[in-house]
Amino acid sequence: MKTLQIRRPDDWHLHLRDGAVLEGVIGDTSRHFARAIIMPNLVPPVVTTADAAAYRSRIMAALPEGHRFEPLMTLYLTEHTNPDDVEEGKKSGLITAVKLYPAGATTNSHGGVRDLEKAMPVLERMAKIGLPLCVHGEVTTPEVDIFDREAVFIETVLDPLRKRLPELKVTMEHVTTSDGIDYIKSSKANLAGSITTHHLIINRNDILVGGIRPHYYCLPVAKRESHRLALRAAATSGDHRFFLGTDSAPHVDPLKECACGCAGIYTSVNTMSCLAHVFEQDNALDKLEAFASLNGPAWYGLQPNEDKITLEKQDVQVEFPAKRDTGAGVITVFDPGFQIFWNVVD
Ligand SMILES: NC(=O)N[C@@H](CC(=O)O)C(=O)O
Ligand SMILES: [Zn+2]
Ligand SMILES: [Zn+2]
């Protein structure tokens, strides 16, 4: 039997939600991951350091007994965010990053930024104090095709911002295109990218061919196969600028399986097994630790986790639950579309 030991991984982009969903999903992350960057797009969003402190307490209260887990909190950037509050949050150790959602780009982003100019004082302060900006990198301009929104964001928003504020550390989250990969690779400093589990596995055909599959719909939407291959090559290369951010984004089934379904894929349950499968397929099992456990902490200026997890390749298929039942309803677990033999052993 094949086994692989790696340092315990972290998830650098995670949606835990709140209330009954939080209680139902957090154990799926804390079972394998030591830390995660927690997205602030609640309703209402996590805007101030005080909001983040209260949310952190709710997360810790929801943690299953015996699990150790550190939520790394973020603030949702608005046009009214106070630079002093952000600086306080970083100084106190509570805040790891600030998140930019272009208004209307994705789930619960209507309170996001419309005019980046208005957020410049906060961004300048962040550059000064070394606090990273995490970006959902898509323009929301109605004329721009949904498959082009990431590339257009890089050209019209991100690159001008980075030229204006080169000291600002930017994480391009959930990169989905070869344009994004190339842009990150071409930068000399202060730019890195997270890649999700599902974008390494599905392309846009998986969403649309033979019938519409709402549980493969997320934002940024999966692109054509050539982009998926570029993401695979970047993730499995060991390049320190790329790391895991699952973007595990639970929505209860009725909100996905309807005429206007929500974006988001729930991958916390089987991410490490899926990744081991993907990295083995690409003859890169020796790079999995860099992607899931080393590159992320290095980028955020943290130590990698001390303890390790063991992945085991079994002879029989590993069975994952198809659904996660929460007090708020049932959530469908990501189906990679292939049999999985890798299991995380405790
Ligand atoms: N990824 C998604 O499709 N959805 C995320 C938001 C996001 O990360 O854009 C969500 O909060 O549901
Ligand atoms: Zn996003
Ligand atoms: Zn997300």
PDB file of all heavy atoms in Angstrom, residues 13 15 17 39 41 99 101 105-108 136 138 174 198 217-220 247 249-251 262-265, ligand 1:
ATOM      1  N   HIS A  13      -8.542  29.678   1.596  1.00  0.00           N
ATOM      2  CA  HIS A  13      -9.774  30.356   1.129  1.00  0.00           C
ATOM      3  C   HIS A  13     -10.951  29.448   1.467  1.00  0.00           C
ATOM      4  O   HIS A  13     -11.155  28.428   0.806  1.00  0.00           O
ATOM      5  CB  HIS A  13      -9.707  30.610  -0.380  1.00  0.00           C
ATOM      6  CG  HIS A  13     -10.941  31.282  -0.937  1.00  0.00           C
ATOM      7  ND1 HIS A  13     -10.867  32.277  -1.884  1.00  0.00           N
ATOM      8  CD2 HIS A  13     -12.257  31.116  -0.700  1.00  0.00           C
ATOM      9  CE1 HIS A  13     -12.082  32.685  -2.204  1.00  0.00           C
ATOM     10  NE2 HIS A  13     -12.954  31.989  -1.492  1.00  0.00           N
ATOM     11  N   HIS A  15     -15.199  29.230   2.982  1.00  0.00           N
ATOM     12  CA  HIS A  15     -16.474  29.795   3.447  1.00  0.00           C
ATOM     13  C   HIS A  15     -17.055  28.872   4.507  1.00  0.00           C
ATOM     14  O   HIS A  15     -17.370  27.713   4.201  1.00  0.00           O
ATOM     15  CB  HIS A  15     -17.466  29.926   2.286  1.00  0.00           C
ATOM     16  CG  HIS A  15     -16.979  30.826   1.197  1.00  0.00           C
ATOM     17  ND1 HIS A  15     -17.219  32.181   1.182  1.00  0.00           N
ATOM     18  CD2 HIS A  15     -16.215  30.572   0.105  1.00  0.00           C
ATOM     19  CE1 HIS A  15     -16.650  32.714   0.111  1.00  0.00           C
ATOM     20  NE2 HIS A  15     -16.030  31.766  -0.553  1.00  0.00           N
ATOM     21  N   ARG A  17     -19.644  30.115   6.550  1.00  0.00           N
ATOM     22  CA  ARG A  17     -21.000  30.607   6.837  1.00  0.00           C
ATOM     23  C   ARG A  17     -21.176  30.823   8.346  1.00  0.00           C
ATOM     24  O   ARG A  17     -20.223  31.028   9.068  1.00  0.00           O
ATOM     25  CB  ARG A  17     -22.089  29.668   6.285  1.00  0.00           C
ATOM     26  CG  ARG A  17     -21.859  29.161   4.870  1.00  0.00           C
ATOM     27  CD  ARG A  17     -21.743  30.261   3.833  1.00  0.00           C
ATOM     28  NE  ARG A  17     -21.757  29.697   2.472  1.00  0.00           N
ATOM     29  CZ  ARG A  17     -21.268  30.298   1.420  1.00  0.00           C
ATOM     30  NH1 ARG A  17     -20.694  31.487   1.514  1.00  0.00           N
ATOM     31  NH2 ARG A  17     -21.327  29.736   0.228  1.00  0.00           N
ATOM     32  N   MET A  39     -13.538  33.450   4.815  1.00  0.00           N
ATOM     33  CA  MET A  39     -14.135  34.504   3.993  1.00  0.00           C
ATOM     34  C   MET A  39     -15.191  35.282   4.779  1.00  0.00           C
ATOM     35  O   MET A  39     -15.942  34.690   5.563  1.00  0.00           O
ATOM     36  CB  MET A  39     -14.745  33.887   2.733  1.00  0.00           C
ATOM     37  CG  MET A  39     -13.696  33.437   1.743  1.00  0.00           C
ATOM     38  SD  MET A  39     -12.693  34.850   1.183  1.00  0.00           S
ATOM     39  CE  MET A  39     -11.071  34.295   1.630  1.00  0.00           C
ATOM     40  N   ASN A  41     -17.872  37.011   3.640  1.00  0.00           N
ATOM     41  CA  ASN A  41     -19.114  37.373   2.927  1.00  0.00           C
ATOM     42  C   ASN A  41     -20.364  36.781   3.578  1.00  0.00           C
ATOM     43  O   ASN A  41     -21.144  36.087   2.946  1.00  0.00           O
ATOM     44  CB  ASN A  41     -19.033  37.008   1.438  1.00  0.00           C
ATOM     45  CG  ASN A  41     -18.868  35.517   1.185  1.00  0.00           C
ATOM     46  OD1 ASN A  41     -18.319  34.794   2.015  1.00  0.00           O
ATOM     47  ND2 ASN A  41     -19.336  35.047   0.043  1.00  0.00           N
ATOM     48  N   LYS A  99     -10.394  41.453   2.211  1.00  0.00           N
ATOM     49  CA  LYS A  99     -10.915  40.832   1.003  1.00  0.00           C
ATOM     50  C   LYS A  99     -11.628  41.838   0.116  1.00  0.00           C
ATOM     51  O   LYS A  99     -12.529  42.544   0.565  1.00  0.00           O
ATOM     52  CB  LYS A  99     -11.903  39.739   1.429  1.00  0.00           C
ATOM     53  CG  LYS A  99     -12.645  39.092   0.293  1.00  0.00           C
ATOM     54  CD  LYS A  99     -11.792  38.074  -0.425  1.00  0.00           C
ATOM     55  CE  LYS A  99     -12.473  37.600  -1.693  1.00  0.00           C
ATOM     56  NZ  LYS A  99     -12.419  36.166  -1.874  1.00  0.00           N
ATOM     57  N   TYR A 101     -14.161  42.243  -2.818  1.00  0.00           N
ATOM     58  CA  TYR A 101     -15.185  41.723  -3.718  1.00  0.00           C
ATOM     59  C   TYR A 101     -15.653  42.873  -4.588  1.00  0.00           C
ATOM     60  O   TYR A 101     -16.278  43.803  -4.084  1.00  0.00           O
ATOM     61  CB  TYR A 101     -16.410  41.216  -2.944  1.00  0.00           C
ATOM     62  CG  TYR A 101     -16.215  39.928  -2.195  1.00  0.00           C
ATOM     63  CD1 TYR A 101     -16.025  39.925  -0.820  1.00  0.00           C
ATOM     64  CD2 TYR A 101     -16.244  38.700  -2.855  1.00  0.00           C
ATOM     65  CE1 TYR A 101     -15.873  38.738  -0.119  1.00  0.00           C
ATOM     66  CE2 TYR A 101     -16.087  37.507  -2.159  1.00  0.00           C
ATOM     67  CZ  TYR A 101     -15.904  37.539  -0.800  1.00  0.00           C
ATOM     68  OH  TYR A 101     -15.750  36.363  -0.104  1.00  0.00           O
ATOM     69  N   ALA A 105     -19.979  40.720  -7.862  1.00  0.00           N
ATOM     70  CA  ALA A 105     -19.212  39.685  -8.562  1.00  0.00           C
ATOM     71  C   ALA A 105     -19.641  38.277  -8.185  1.00  0.00           C
ATOM     72  O   ALA A 105     -19.550  37.362  -8.992  1.00  0.00           O
ATOM     73  CB  ALA A 105     -17.717  39.856  -8.305  1.00  0.00           C
ATOM     74  N   THR A 106     -20.107  38.080  -6.938  1.00  0.00           N
ATOM     75  CA  THR A 106     -20.349  36.704  -6.489  1.00  0.00           C
ATOM     76  C   THR A 106     -21.315  36.700  -5.313  1.00  0.00           C
ATOM     77  O   THR A 106     -21.950  37.725  -5.028  1.00  0.00           O
ATOM     78  CB  THR A 106     -18.997  36.030  -6.151  1.00  0.00           C
ATOM     79  OG1 THR A 106     -19.210  34.642  -5.861  1.00  0.00           O
ATOM     80  CG2 THR A 106     -18.309  36.676  -4.960  1.00  0.00           C
ATOM     81  N   THR A 107     -21.440  35.568  -4.613  1.00  0.00           N
ATOM     82  CA  THR A 107     -22.380  35.431  -3.496  1.00  0.00           C
ATOM     83  C   THR A 107     -22.156  36.522  -2.435  1.00  0.00           C
ATOM     84  O   THR A 107     -21.036  36.717  -1.985  1.00  0.00           O
ATOM     85  CB  THR A 107     -22.190  34.044  -2.827  1.00  0.00           C
ATOM     86  OG1 THR A 107     -22.169  33.038  -3.843  1.00  0.00           O
ATOM     87  CG2 THR A 107     -23.301  33.758  -1.832  1.00  0.00           C
ATOM     88  N   ASN A 108     -23.214  37.197  -2.052  1.00  0.00           N
ATOM     89  CA  ASN A 108     -23.169  38.236  -1.008  1.00  0.00           C
ATOM     90  C   ASN A 108     -22.082  39.284  -1.243  1.00  0.00           C
ATOM     91  O   ASN A 108     -21.314  39.605  -0.335  1.00  0.00           O
ATOM     92  CB  ASN A 108     -22.968  37.619   0.387  1.00  0.00           C
ATOM     93  CG  ASN A 108     -24.035  36.606   0.694  1.00  0.00           C
ATOM     94  OD1 ASN A 108     -25.150  36.702   0.187  1.00  0.00           O
ATOM     95  ND2 ASN A 108     -23.700  35.619   1.505  1.00  0.00           N
ATOM     96  N   HIS A 136     -11.261  38.690  -5.168  1.00  0.00           N
ATOM     97  CA  HIS A 136     -12.091  37.926  -6.101  1.00  0.00           C
ATOM     98  C   HIS A 136     -11.897  38.634  -7.440  1.00  0.00           C
ATOM     99  O   HIS A 136     -12.475  39.695  -7.663  1.00  0.00           O
ATOM    100  CB  HIS A 136     -13.562  37.923  -5.672  1.00  0.00           C
ATOM    101  CG  HIS A 136     -14.432  37.168  -6.634  1.00  0.00           C
ATOM    102  ND1 HIS A 136     -14.983  35.948  -6.344  1.00  0.00           N
ATOM    103  CD2 HIS A 136     -14.799  37.447  -7.903  1.00  0.00           C
ATOM    104  CE1 HIS A 136     -15.662  35.508  -7.397  1.00  0.00           C
ATOM    105  NE2 HIS A 136     -15.572  36.411  -8.360  1.00  0.00           N
ATOM    106  N   GLU A 138     -12.679  39.253 -10.657  1.00  0.00           N
ATOM    107  CA  GLU A 138     -13.553  39.283 -11.832  1.00  0.00           C
ATOM    108  C   GLU A 138     -14.191  40.655 -11.938  1.00  0.00           C
ATOM    109  O   GLU A 138     -14.663  41.184 -10.923  1.00  0.00           O
ATOM    110  CB  GLU A 138     -14.688  38.249 -11.713  1.00  0.00           C
ATOM    111  CG  GLU A 138     -14.258  36.813 -11.835  1.00  0.00           C
ATOM    112  CD  GLU A 138     -15.478  35.893 -11.967  1.00  0.00           C
ATOM    113  OE1 GLU A 138     -16.207  35.724 -10.975  1.00  0.00           O
ATOM    114  OE2 GLU A 138     -15.693  35.362 -13.063  1.00  0.00           O
ATOM    115  N   HIS A 174      -8.683  31.875  -6.057  1.00  0.00           N
ATOM    116  CA  HIS A 174      -9.319  30.940  -6.996  1.00  0.00           C
ATOM    117  C   HIS A 174      -9.037  31.308  -8.458  1.00  0.00           C
ATOM    118  O   HIS A 174      -9.934  31.620  -9.226  1.00  0.00           O
ATOM    119  CB  HIS A 174     -10.811  30.770  -6.732  1.00  0.00           C
ATOM    120  CG  HIS A 174     -11.628  32.024  -6.483  1.00  0.00           C
ATOM    121  ND1 HIS A 174     -11.488  33.171  -7.206  1.00  0.00           N
ATOM    122  CD2 HIS A 174     -12.608  32.279  -5.582  1.00  0.00           C
ATOM    123  CE1 HIS A 174     -12.357  34.078  -6.765  1.00  0.00           C
ATOM    124  NE2 HIS A 174     -13.037  33.564  -5.782  1.00  0.00           N
ATOM    125  N   HIS A 198     -11.611  21.970  -7.017  1.00  0.00           N
ATOM    126  CA  HIS A 198     -12.510  21.639  -8.131  1.00  0.00           C
ATOM    127  C   HIS A 198     -12.021  22.184  -9.464  1.00  0.00           C
ATOM    128  O   HIS A 198     -12.222  21.563 -10.498  1.00  0.00           O
ATOM    129  CB  HIS A 198     -13.948  22.089  -7.840  1.00  0.00           C
ATOM    130  CG  HIS A 198     -14.104  23.494  -7.363  1.00  0.00           C
ATOM    131  ND1 HIS A 198     -13.912  23.861  -6.048  1.00  0.00           N
ATOM    132  CD2 HIS A 198     -14.416  24.640  -8.008  1.00  0.00           C
ATOM    133  CE1 HIS A 198     -14.124  25.157  -5.922  1.00  0.00           C
ATOM    134  NE2 HIS A 198     -14.418  25.659  -7.097  1.00  0.00           N
ATOM    135  N   TYR A 217     -21.437  24.351 -10.455  1.00  0.00           N
ATOM    136  CA  TYR A 217     -21.448  25.801 -10.751  1.00  0.00           C
ATOM    137  C   TYR A 217     -20.846  26.576  -9.586  1.00  0.00           C
ATOM    138  O   TYR A 217     -21.288  26.458  -8.442  1.00  0.00           O
ATOM    139  CB  TYR A 217     -22.871  26.287 -11.022  1.00  0.00           C
ATOM    140  CG  TYR A 217     -22.939  27.791 -11.190  1.00  0.00           C
ATOM    141  CD1 TYR A 217     -22.237  28.426 -12.216  1.00  0.00           C
ATOM    142  CD2 TYR A 217     -23.661  28.579 -10.299  1.00  0.00           C
ATOM    143  CE1 TYR A 217     -22.270  29.801 -12.352  1.00  0.00           C
ATOM    144  CE2 TYR A 217     -23.702  29.961 -10.431  1.00  0.00           C
ATOM    145  CZ  TYR A 217     -23.001  30.561 -11.462  1.00  0.00           C
ATOM    146  OH  TYR A 217     -23.021  31.922 -11.586  1.00  0.00           O
ATOM    147  N   CYS A 218     -19.833  27.350  -9.889  1.00  0.00           N
ATOM    148  CA  CYS A 218     -19.224  28.210  -8.882  1.00  0.00           C
ATOM    149  C   CYS A 218     -18.707  29.445  -9.608  1.00  0.00           C
ATOM    150  O   CYS A 218     -18.742  29.524 -10.835  1.00  0.00           O
ATOM    151  CB  CYS A 218     -18.059  27.510  -8.193  1.00  0.00           C
ATOM    152  SG  CYS A 218     -16.661  27.252  -9.292  1.00  0.00           S
ATOM    153  N   LEU A 219     -18.247  30.390  -8.839  1.00  0.00           N
ATOM    154  CA  LEU A 219     -17.614  31.574  -9.421  1.00  0.00           C
ATOM    155  C   LEU A 219     -16.210  31.728  -8.848  1.00  0.00           C
ATOM    156  O   LEU A 219     -16.031  31.502  -7.650  1.00  0.00           O
ATOM    157  CB  LEU A 219     -18.439  32.832  -9.124  1.00  0.00           C
ATOM    158  CG  LEU A 219     -19.746  32.923  -9.937  1.00  0.00           C
ATOM    159  CD1 LEU A 219     -20.614  34.058  -9.423  1.00  0.00           C
ATOM    160  CD2 LEU A 219     -19.445  33.098 -11.427  1.00  0.00           C
ATOM    161  N   PRO A 220     -15.219  32.091  -9.645  1.00  0.00           N
ATOM    162  CA  PRO A 220     -15.312  32.182 -11.091  1.00  0.00           C
ATOM    163  C   PRO A 220     -15.686  30.820 -11.678  1.00  0.00           C
ATOM    164  O   PRO A 220     -15.212  29.792 -11.223  1.00  0.00           O
ATOM    165  CB  PRO A 220     -13.905  32.592 -11.519  1.00  0.00           C
ATOM    166  CG  PRO A 220     -13.253  33.141 -10.292  1.00  0.00           C
ATOM    167  CD  PRO A 220     -13.884  32.466  -9.138  1.00  0.00           C
ATOM    168  N   ASP A 247     -11.866  27.237  -1.517  1.00  0.00           N
ATOM    169  CA  ASP A 247     -13.093  27.965  -1.828  1.00  0.00           C
ATOM    170  C   ASP A 247     -14.304  27.068  -1.592  1.00  0.00           C
ATOM    171  O   ASP A 247     -15.319  27.201  -2.275  1.00  0.00           O
ATOM    172  CB  ASP A 247     -13.074  28.510  -3.262  1.00  0.00           C
ATOM    173  CG  ASP A 247     -14.190  29.523  -3.502  1.00  0.00           C
ATOM    174  OD1 ASP A 247     -14.773  30.010  -2.515  1.00  0.00           O
ATOM    175  OD2 ASP A 247     -14.482  29.805  -4.676  1.00  0.00           O
ATOM    176  N   ALA A 249     -17.593  26.196  -0.570  1.00  0.00           N
ATOM    177  CA  ALA A 249     -18.631  27.222  -0.430  1.00  0.00           C
ATOM    178  C   ALA A 249     -20.004  26.571  -0.332  1.00  0.00           C
ATOM    179  O   ALA A 249     -20.706  26.427  -1.334  1.00  0.00           O
ATOM    180  CB  ALA A 249     -18.568  28.193  -1.604  1.00  0.00           C
ATOM    181  N   PRO A 250     -20.372  26.123   0.890  1.00  0.00           N
ATOM    182  CA  PRO A 250     -21.624  25.378   1.039  1.00  0.00           C
ATOM    183  C   PRO A 250     -22.872  26.229   0.831  1.00  0.00           C
ATOM    184  O   PRO A 250     -22.967  27.346   1.331  1.00  0.00           O
ATOM    185  CB  PRO A 250     -21.549  24.876   2.496  1.00  0.00           C
ATOM    186  CG  PRO A 250     -20.627  25.814   3.200  1.00  0.00           C
ATOM    187  CD  PRO A 250     -19.635  26.256   2.168  1.00  0.00           C
ATOM    188  N   HIS A 251     -23.800  25.686   0.049  1.00  0.00           N
ATOM    189  CA  HIS A 251     -25.169  26.220  -0.070  1.00  0.00           C
ATOM    190  C   HIS A 251     -26.092  25.020   0.067  1.00  0.00           C
ATOM    191  O   HIS A 251     -25.803  23.964  -0.522  1.00  0.00           O
ATOM    192  CB  HIS A 251     -25.405  26.854  -1.448  1.00  0.00           C
ATOM    193  CG  HIS A 251     -24.600  28.082  -1.720  1.00  0.00           C
ATOM    194  ND1 HIS A 251     -24.968  29.332  -1.288  1.00  0.00           N
ATOM    195  CD2 HIS A 251     -23.426  28.248  -2.383  1.00  0.00           C
ATOM    196  CE1 HIS A 251     -24.069  30.232  -1.685  1.00  0.00           C
ATOM    197  NE2 HIS A 251     -23.114  29.598  -2.347  1.00  0.00           N
ATOM    198  N   CYS A 262     -27.415  29.206  -6.671  1.00  0.00           N
ATOM    199  CA  CYS A 262     -26.247  29.902  -6.113  1.00  0.00           C
ATOM    200  C   CYS A 262     -24.946  29.287  -6.643  1.00  0.00           C
ATOM    201  O   CYS A 262     -24.887  28.104  -6.966  1.00  0.00           O
ATOM    202  CB  CYS A 262     -26.226  29.753  -4.601  1.00  0.00           C
ATOM    203  SG  CYS A 262     -27.526  30.653  -3.780  1.00  0.00           S
ATOM    204  N   ALA A 263     -23.909  30.113  -6.641  1.00  0.00           N
ATOM    205  CA  ALA A 263     -22.563  29.667  -7.020  1.00  0.00           C
ATOM    206  C   ALA A 263     -21.839  29.159  -5.785  1.00  0.00           C
ATOM    207  O   ALA A 263     -21.851  29.814  -4.748  1.00  0.00           O
ATOM    208  CB  ALA A 263     -21.799  30.834  -7.630  1.00  0.00           C
ATOM    209  N   GLY A 264     -21.171  28.026  -5.908  1.00  0.00           N
ATOM    210  CA  GLY A 264     -20.367  27.528  -4.801  1.00  0.00           C
ATOM    211  C   GLY A 264     -20.364  26.011  -4.798  1.00  0.00           C
ATOM    212  O   GLY A 264     -21.384  25.380  -5.060  1.00  0.00           O
ATOM    213  N   ILE A 265     -19.194  25.425  -4.510  1.00  0.00           N
ATOM    214  CA  ILE A 265     -19.029  23.963  -4.506  1.00  0.00           C
ATOM    215  C   ILE A 265     -18.469  23.561  -3.147  1.00  0.00           C
ATOM    216  O   ILE A 265     -17.521  24.190  -2.653  1.00  0.00           O
ATOM    217  CB  ILE A 265     -18.077  23.523  -5.642  1.00  0.00           C
ATOM    218  CG1 ILE A 265     -18.627  23.987  -7.004  1.00  0.00           C
ATOM    219  CG2 ILE A 265     -17.872  22.017  -5.620  1.00  0.00           C
ATOM    220  CD1 ILE A 265     -17.793  23.574  -8.205  1.00  0.00           C
TER     221      ILE A 265
HETATM  222  N1  LIG B   1     -17.021  30.534  -5.067  1.00  0.00           N
HETATM  223  C1  LIG B   1     -18.326  30.616  -5.164  1.00  0.00           C
HETATM  224  O1  LIG B   1     -18.884  30.181  -6.178  1.00  0.00           O
HETATM  225  N2  LIG B   1     -19.078  31.158  -4.193  1.00  0.00           N
HETATM  226  C2  LIG B   1     -18.604  31.803  -2.993  1.00  0.00           C
HETATM  227  C3  LIG B   1     -18.141  33.193  -3.237  1.00  0.00           C
HETATM  228  C4  LIG B   1     -16.823  33.317  -3.950  1.00  0.00           C
HETATM  229  O2  LIG B   1     -15.786  32.825  -3.491  1.00  0.00           O
HETATM  230  O3  LIG B   1     -16.767  33.952  -5.007  1.00  0.00           O
HETATM  231  C5  LIG B   1     -19.737  31.792  -1.974  1.00  0.00           C
HETATM  232  O4  LIG B   1     -19.660  32.503  -0.965  1.00  0.00           O
HETATM  233  O5  LIG B   1     -20.704  31.035  -2.155  1.00  0.00           O
END
